[in-house]
Amino acid sequence: EQSAPILAQIDLPVTFEDPLVDYTMTDFGGNTATVITDPVNPPNLVSEVVKDATAQLWAGTTISTPLGFASVIPLTLTETEMTVSVWSPTAGTPIRLKVENASNNQETCETEAVTTVAGAWETLTFNFANEVAGSATLANGISNGWVFNMASIFFNFGTDGATAGSQTYYFDDVMFGQPVVALAQIDLPVTFEDPLVDYTMTDFGGNTATVI
């Protein structure tokens, strides 16, 4: 009998696509997170988060087991952003992201972004240089040598389930920094106008081509 593979500890970027990674989440306050097929873009895999009608206003989901990520989140004074792809049923919904030390819950920093669309995916940027009121500052954490190796996400932070009712959210592609967009191979017609096309030219014999 073949034994089940030992799953690797989760790490950034979190895509939910690697069958050899342990994508176990840690819910609290009335959240329930489950890895499912993206209902909008199958066969992509995402995390579905249900914030139920009894949820606390601070209900959230840690994006790992209590061990946190396999690697430290490389936040610095100049590299301060993480991004998460989010689906929310409503626009204008505050989404909070918290980073902390898995071994010391006093070493934390929290920031928020707000959804701009309803019922569609969007990439939200979380800038930890803009911490929420009452949160420790990123600069203070870095100056004190804090380790950030865990992240938790809070949907509709500040509103409990009794007020909002049961709501379902989705998230995917949790990463440090901004996502890198893979450019498409050039094809006819060549207009130089599409930001998602690679317009790299190949010069020879003394030419130099530049898109201007």
Side-chain angles (χ1 to χ4, degrees):
E1 183 179 347
Q2 188 174 8
S3 60
I6 297 175
L7 299 180
Q9 186 177 351
I10 194 171
D11 207 0
L12 296 175
V14 179
T15 65
F16 301 109
E17 301 296 334
D18 191 334
L20 298 181
V21 170
D22 183 358
Y23 290 119
T24 301
M25 304 283 106
T26 306
D27 300 310
F28 49 90
N31 269 13
T32 303
T34 310
V35 177
I36 67 166
T37 299
D38 183 348
V40 179
N41 300 309
N44 182 46
L45 296 177
V46 301
S47 181
E48 175 190 68
V49 176
V50 177
K51 186 173 181 179
D52 68 33
T54 64
Q56 303 295 321
L57 56 85
W58 42 264
T61 295
T62 298
I63 309 170
S64 68
T65 67
L67 293 175
F69 296 131
S71 305
V72 172
I73 305 168
L75 290 163
T76 68
L77 293 177
T78 55
E79 300 291 332
T80 62
E81 294 181 345
M82 291 179 64
T83 55
V84 183
S85 184
V86 168
W87 186 101
S88 169
T90 54
T93 301
I95 312 296
R96 182 169 293 202
L97 193 66
K98 174 184 180 181
V99 293
E100 63 184 296
N101 185 342
S103 300
N104 184 347
N105 62 14
Q106 299 303 304
E107 298 180 4
T108 70
C109 186
E110 303 177 30
T111 191
E112 280 187 2
V114 177
T115 62
T116 64
V117 295
W121 284 99
E122 63 178 322
T123 298
L124 297 181
T125 297
F126 296 88
N127 187 349
F128 288 94
N130 299 326
E131 69 280 349
V132 296
S135 171
T137 67
L138 178 64
N140 181 64
I142 291 173
S143 67
N144 283 290
W146 291 0
V147 172
F148 300 114
N149 61 354
M150 176 184 282
S152 299
I153 192 165
F154 305 78
F155 291 97
N156 202 11
F157 185 87
T159 302
D160 61 20
T163 301
S166 180
Q167 292 187 309
T168 300
Y169 302 88
Y170 303 94
F171 73 94
D172 195 10
D173 299 327
V174 183
M175 60 184 61
F176 177 73
Q178 294 291 328
V180 177
V181 178
L183 298 180
Q185 185 177 354
I186 193 170
D187 202 358
L188 296 174
V190 178
T191 64
F192 301 108
E193 302 296 335
D194 191 335
L196 298 181
V197 170
D198 183 358
Y199 290 118
T200 301
M201 303 286 106
T202 305
D203 301 310
F204 51 90
N207 271 14
T208 302
T210 309
V211 177
I212 65 169

